[in-house]
Amino acid sequence: MRIPKYYKESFEMLVPKLYDFIFNISLFGKAKKIRLKALRQIPKNSKRIIDLATGTGELAILTKELFPKSDIVGIDLSYGMLKRAKKKAKNKKLNISFLRRNIEDTEFSSNKFDVVMIGFALHEIPEEPRARIIKEAYRLLKKNKVLVIMELNKPKNIVFRNLFRLYLRIFEPDYNRANKFLDYDLERELKKRKFKYIRTSYHYLHSVKIIMCKK
Ligand SMILES: C[S@@+](CC[C@H](N)C(=O)[O-])C[C@H]1O[C@@H](n2cnc3c(N)ncnc32)[C@H](O)[C@@H]1O
């Protein structure tokens, strides 16, 4: 498996034990709520679901709780994050496959999943591999099935925007990349990669967006 250079640069710096706590604070204590908002838009009959860059598995675990009959796979490159994800799922007696894979090239067969999810990872990944990941998400999905992306967004209010930038400076492993992402047109990239019915909803003073689209 190829390990991308950008991955080595920043991601092993994330501290799995502290990640959930810090992430929740950074979303004003609303991390679970925002994930649930996204998950409630997923069709109830979704059987195979994959969480790309699953991290500590929060989204995958919540998905399994909401869709107990579905097969859930969470993939990530970080040993530490995956270890934590597996431990949390075991404690909750949830059967989820957590695997170490590169999300640019997941090694799964094409047209396999009913839902592909990517939560708060794309802003940490440079533009070229980011485009490859979107292409990979398209390949993994069955026709007419759903891609869900949760991401940071540029707040409209200038005071809040500056505070948000301060937050990025403190918490993001690569501030410049995350800050540049705020001006990146993700929806345009999705359109370019042939995704359709692209819908974006904005939350928490426009600092977070949820994008739903179909293959
Ligand atoms: C900010 S965390 C997001 C975790 C989770 N999705 C969430 O919503 O909390 C970003 C994750 O992306 C993973 N990651 C980054 N590049 C990756 C790649 N190319 N393949 C697999 N995982 C990757 C990192 O290891 C890290 O766990």
PDB file of all heavy atoms in Angstrom, residues 191-205:
ATOM      1  N   LYS A 191     -19.139  18.039  -9.245  1.00  0.00           N
ATOM      2  CA  LYS A 191     -19.830  18.109 -10.545  1.00  0.00           C
ATOM      3  C   LYS A 191     -18.907  17.601 -11.646  1.00  0.00           C
ATOM      4  O   LYS A 191     -19.292  16.832 -12.513  1.00  0.00           O
ATOM      5  CB  LYS A 191     -20.213  19.572 -10.809  1.00  0.00           C
ATOM      6  CG  LYS A 191     -21.620  19.713 -11.373  1.00  0.00           C
ATOM      7  CD  LYS A 191     -21.961  21.154 -11.620  1.00  0.00           C
ATOM      8  CE  LYS A 191     -22.756  21.731 -10.465  1.00  0.00           C
ATOM      9  NZ  LYS A 191     -23.004  23.167 -10.606  1.00  0.00           N
ATOM     10  N   LYS A 192     -17.641  18.061 -11.571  1.00  0.00           N
ATOM     11  CA  LYS A 192     -16.638  17.656 -12.567  1.00  0.00           C
ATOM     12  C   LYS A 192     -16.469  16.130 -12.575  1.00  0.00           C
ATOM     13  O   LYS A 192     -16.248  15.528 -13.618  1.00  0.00           O
ATOM     14  CB  LYS A 192     -15.313  18.337 -12.186  1.00  0.00           C
ATOM     15  CG  LYS A 192     -14.271  18.325 -13.265  1.00  0.00           C
ATOM     16  CD  LYS A 192     -13.129  19.248 -12.877  1.00  0.00           C
ATOM     17  CE  LYS A 192     -11.808  18.582 -13.175  1.00  0.00           C
ATOM     18  NZ  LYS A 192     -10.686  19.275 -12.532  1.00  0.00           N
ATOM     19  N   ARG A 193     -16.586  15.532 -11.394  1.00  0.00           N
ATOM     20  CA  ARG A 193     -16.416  14.067 -11.286  1.00  0.00           C
ATOM     21  C   ARG A 193     -17.724  13.332 -11.536  1.00  0.00           C
ATOM     22  O   ARG A 193     -17.893  12.180 -11.145  1.00  0.00           O
ATOM     23  CB  ARG A 193     -15.882  13.697  -9.893  1.00  0.00           C
ATOM     24  CG  ARG A 193     -14.568  14.299  -9.573  1.00  0.00           C
ATOM     25  CD  ARG A 193     -13.436  13.675 -10.349  1.00  0.00           C
ATOM     26  NE  ARG A 193     -12.291  14.573 -10.337  1.00  0.00           N
ATOM     27  CZ  ARG A 193     -11.215  14.419 -11.084  1.00  0.00           C
ATOM     28  NH1 ARG A 193     -11.127  13.416 -11.914  1.00  0.00           N
ATOM     29  NH2 ARG A 193     -10.230  15.277 -11.019  1.00  0.00           N
ATOM     30  N   LYS A 194     -18.726  14.046 -12.085  1.00  0.00           N
ATOM     31  CA  LYS A 194     -19.997  13.436 -12.546  1.00  0.00           C
ATOM     32  C   LYS A 194     -21.004  13.124 -11.441  1.00  0.00           C
ATOM     33  O   LYS A 194     -21.979  12.393 -11.656  1.00  0.00           O
ATOM     34  CB  LYS A 194     -19.742  12.144 -13.355  1.00  0.00           C
ATOM     35  CG  LYS A 194     -18.759  12.281 -14.509  1.00  0.00           C
ATOM     36  CD  LYS A 194     -19.501  12.624 -15.782  1.00  0.00           C
ATOM     37  CE  LYS A 194     -18.612  12.718 -17.004  1.00  0.00           C
ATOM     38  NZ  LYS A 194     -17.689  13.871 -17.009  1.00  0.00           N
ATOM     39  N   PHE A 195     -20.787  13.643 -10.235  1.00  0.00           N
ATOM     40  CA  PHE A 195     -21.821  13.488  -9.217  1.00  0.00           C
ATOM     41  C   PHE A 195     -23.011  14.367  -9.591  1.00  0.00           C
ATOM     42  O   PHE A 195     -22.849  15.426 -10.195  1.00  0.00           O
ATOM     43  CB  PHE A 195     -21.286  13.891  -7.838  1.00  0.00           C
ATOM     44  CG  PHE A 195     -20.487  12.810  -7.177  1.00  0.00           C
ATOM     45  CD1 PHE A 195     -19.102  12.818  -7.210  1.00  0.00           C
ATOM     46  CD2 PHE A 195     -21.129  11.758  -6.529  1.00  0.00           C
ATOM     47  CE1 PHE A 195     -18.358  11.814  -6.607  1.00  0.00           C
ATOM     48  CE2 PHE A 195     -20.393  10.741  -5.922  1.00  0.00           C
ATOM     49  CZ  PHE A 195     -19.010  10.763  -5.961  1.00  0.00           C
ATOM     50  N   LYS A 196     -24.226  13.928  -9.220  1.00  0.00           N
ATOM     51  CA  LYS A 196     -25.424  14.705  -9.542  1.00  0.00           C
ATOM     52  C   LYS A 196     -26.263  14.953  -8.283  1.00  0.00           C
ATOM     53  O   LYS A 196     -25.964  14.399  -7.229  1.00  0.00           O
ATOM     54  CB  LYS A 196     -26.223  14.009 -10.634  1.00  0.00           C
ATOM     55  CG  LYS A 196     -26.552  12.575 -10.304  1.00  0.00           C
ATOM     56  CD  LYS A 196     -27.161  11.841 -11.480  1.00  0.00           C
ATOM     57  CE  LYS A 196     -27.565  10.450 -11.028  1.00  0.00           C
ATOM     58  NZ  LYS A 196     -28.157   9.628 -12.029  1.00  0.00           N
ATOM     59  N   TYR A 197     -27.307  15.764  -8.444  1.00  0.00           N
ATOM     60  CA  TYR A 197     -28.200  16.148  -7.330  1.00  0.00           C
ATOM     61  C   TYR A 197     -27.399  16.636  -6.119  1.00  0.00           C
ATOM     62  O   TYR A 197     -27.630  16.171  -4.980  1.00  0.00           O
ATOM     63  CB  TYR A 197     -29.100  14.972  -6.911  1.00  0.00           C
ATOM     64  CG  TYR A 197     -29.843  14.332  -8.044  1.00  0.00           C
ATOM     65  CD1 TYR A 197     -29.667  12.993  -8.363  1.00  0.00           C
ATOM     66  CD2 TYR A 197     -30.727  15.077  -8.834  1.00  0.00           C
ATOM     67  CE1 TYR A 197     -30.340  12.398  -9.419  1.00  0.00           C
ATOM     68  CE2 TYR A 197     -31.411  14.493  -9.896  1.00  0.00           C
ATOM     69  CZ  TYR A 197     -31.197  13.154 -10.180  1.00  0.00           C
ATOM     70  OH  TYR A 197     -31.856  12.578 -11.221  1.00  0.00           O
ATOM     71  N   ILE A 198     -26.468  17.532  -6.361  1.00  0.00           N
ATOM     72  CA  ILE A 198     -25.604  18.000  -5.262  1.00  0.00           C
ATOM     73  C   ILE A 198     -26.371  19.023  -4.403  1.00  0.00           C
ATOM     74  O   ILE A 198     -26.840  20.039  -4.919  1.00  0.00           O
ATOM     75  CB  ILE A 198     -24.323  18.643  -5.839  1.00  0.00           C
ATOM     76  CG1 ILE A 198     -23.587  17.619  -6.712  1.00  0.00           C
ATOM     77  CG2 ILE A 198     -23.411  19.171  -4.732  1.00  0.00           C
ATOM     78  CD1 ILE A 198     -22.496  18.203  -7.585  1.00  0.00           C
ATOM     79  N   ARG A 199     -26.506  18.717  -3.120  1.00  0.00           N
ATOM     80  CA  ARG A 199     -27.217  19.628  -2.206  1.00  0.00           C
ATOM     81  C   ARG A 199     -26.324  19.931  -1.014  1.00  0.00           C
ATOM     82  O   ARG A 199     -25.757  19.014  -0.416  1.00  0.00           O
ATOM     83  CB  ARG A 199     -28.509  18.978  -1.686  1.00  0.00           C
ATOM     84  CG  ARG A 199     -29.647  18.951  -2.695  1.00  0.00           C
ATOM     85  CD  ARG A 199     -30.879  18.327  -2.072  1.00  0.00           C
ATOM     86  NE  ARG A 199     -30.715  16.886  -1.904  1.00  0.00           N
ATOM     87  CZ  ARG A 199     -30.809  16.255  -0.749  1.00  0.00           C
ATOM     88  NH1 ARG A 199     -31.067  16.920   0.361  1.00  0.00           N
ATOM     89  NH2 ARG A 199     -30.649  14.945  -0.665  1.00  0.00           N
ATOM     90  N   THR A 200     -26.217  21.210  -0.679  1.00  0.00           N
ATOM     91  CA  THR A 200     -25.375  21.592   0.464  1.00  0.00           C
ATOM     92  C   THR A 200     -26.231  22.276   1.524  1.00  0.00           C
ATOM     93  O   THR A 200     -27.036  23.148   1.196  1.00  0.00           O
ATOM     94  CB  THR A 200     -24.269  22.571  -0.003  1.00  0.00           C
ATOM     95  OG1 THR A 200     -23.577  21.983  -1.092  1.00  0.00           O
ATOM     96  CG2 THR A 200     -23.288  22.872   1.119  1.00  0.00           C
ATOM     97  N   SER A 201     -26.057  21.868   2.777  1.00  0.00           N
ATOM     98  CA  SER A 201     -26.717  22.603   3.874  1.00  0.00           C
ATOM     99  C   SER A 201     -25.627  23.143   4.794  1.00  0.00           C
ATOM    100  O   SER A 201     -24.568  22.526   4.952  1.00  0.00           O
ATOM    101  CB  SER A 201     -27.685  21.698   4.633  1.00  0.00           C
ATOM    102  OG  SER A 201     -26.996  20.590   5.153  1.00  0.00           O
ATOM    103  N   TYR A 202     -25.904  24.312   5.362  1.00  0.00           N
ATOM    104  CA  TYR A 202     -24.892  24.992   6.184  1.00  0.00           C
ATOM    105  C   TYR A 202     -25.354  25.025   7.642  1.00  0.00           C
ATOM    106  O   TYR A 202     -26.535  25.199   7.924  1.00  0.00           O
ATOM    107  CB  TYR A 202     -24.673  26.416   5.661  1.00  0.00           C
ATOM    108  CG  TYR A 202     -24.201  26.419   4.228  1.00  0.00           C
ATOM    109  CD1 TYR A 202     -25.108  26.534   3.162  1.00  0.00           C
ATOM    110  CD2 TYR A 202     -22.850  26.267   3.931  1.00  0.00           C
ATOM    111  CE1 TYR A 202     -24.669  26.508   1.844  1.00  0.00           C
ATOM    112  CE2 TYR A 202     -22.406  26.238   2.613  1.00  0.00           C
ATOM    113  CZ  TYR A 202     -23.323  26.359   1.580  1.00  0.00           C
ATOM    114  OH  TYR A 202     -22.886  26.321   0.279  1.00  0.00           O
ATOM    115  N   HIS A 203     -24.371  24.898   8.540  1.00  0.00           N
ATOM    116  CA  HIS A 203     -24.704  24.804   9.969  1.00  0.00           C
ATOM    117  C   HIS A 203     -23.707  25.617  10.797  1.00  0.00           C
ATOM    118  O   HIS A 203     -22.578  25.843  10.364  1.00  0.00           O
ATOM    119  CB  HIS A 203     -24.669  23.334  10.403  1.00  0.00           C
ATOM    120  CG  HIS A 203     -25.494  22.468   9.494  1.00  0.00           C
ATOM    121  ND1 HIS A 203     -26.836  22.240   9.689  1.00  0.00           N
ATOM    122  CD2 HIS A 203     -25.166  21.832   8.324  1.00  0.00           C
ATOM    123  CE1 HIS A 203     -27.293  21.479   8.703  1.00  0.00           C
ATOM    124  NE2 HIS A 203     -26.310  21.217   7.863  1.00  0.00           N
ATOM    125  N   TYR A 204     -24.151  25.977  12.006  1.00  0.00           N
ATOM    126  CA  TYR A 204     -23.297  26.691  12.969  1.00  0.00           C
ATOM    127  C   TYR A 204     -22.625  27.906  12.337  1.00  0.00           C
ATOM    128  O   TYR A 204     -21.399  27.939  12.148  1.00  0.00           O
ATOM    129  CB  TYR A 204     -22.302  25.720  13.622  1.00  0.00           C
ATOM    130  CG  TYR A 204     -23.033  24.544  14.182  1.00  0.00           C
ATOM    131  CD1 TYR A 204     -22.830  23.270  13.690  1.00  0.00           C
ATOM    132  CD2 TYR A 204     -24.017  24.731  15.155  1.00  0.00           C
ATOM    133  CE1 TYR A 204     -23.579  22.200  14.157  1.00  0.00           C
ATOM    134  CE2 TYR A 204     -24.765  23.673  15.615  1.00  0.00           C
ATOM    135  CZ  TYR A 204     -24.538  22.421  15.123  1.00  0.00           C
ATOM    136  OH  TYR A 204     -25.294  21.369  15.567  1.00  0.00           O
ATOM    137  N   LEU A 205     -23.477  28.868  12.013  1.00  0.00           N
ATOM    138  CA  LEU A 205     -23.023  30.139  11.433  1.00  0.00           C
ATOM    139  C   LEU A 205     -22.159  29.901  10.181  1.00  0.00           C
ATOM    140  O   LEU A 205     -21.149  30.561   9.967  1.00  0.00           O
ATOM    141  CB  LEU A 205     -22.228  30.957  12.465  1.00  0.00           C
ATOM    142  CG  LEU A 205     -22.994  31.342  13.726  1.00  0.00           C
ATOM    143  CD1 LEU A 205     -22.068  31.970  14.759  1.00  0.00           C
ATOM    144  CD2 LEU A 205     -24.132  32.296  13.401  1.00  0.00           C
TER     145      LEU A 205
END
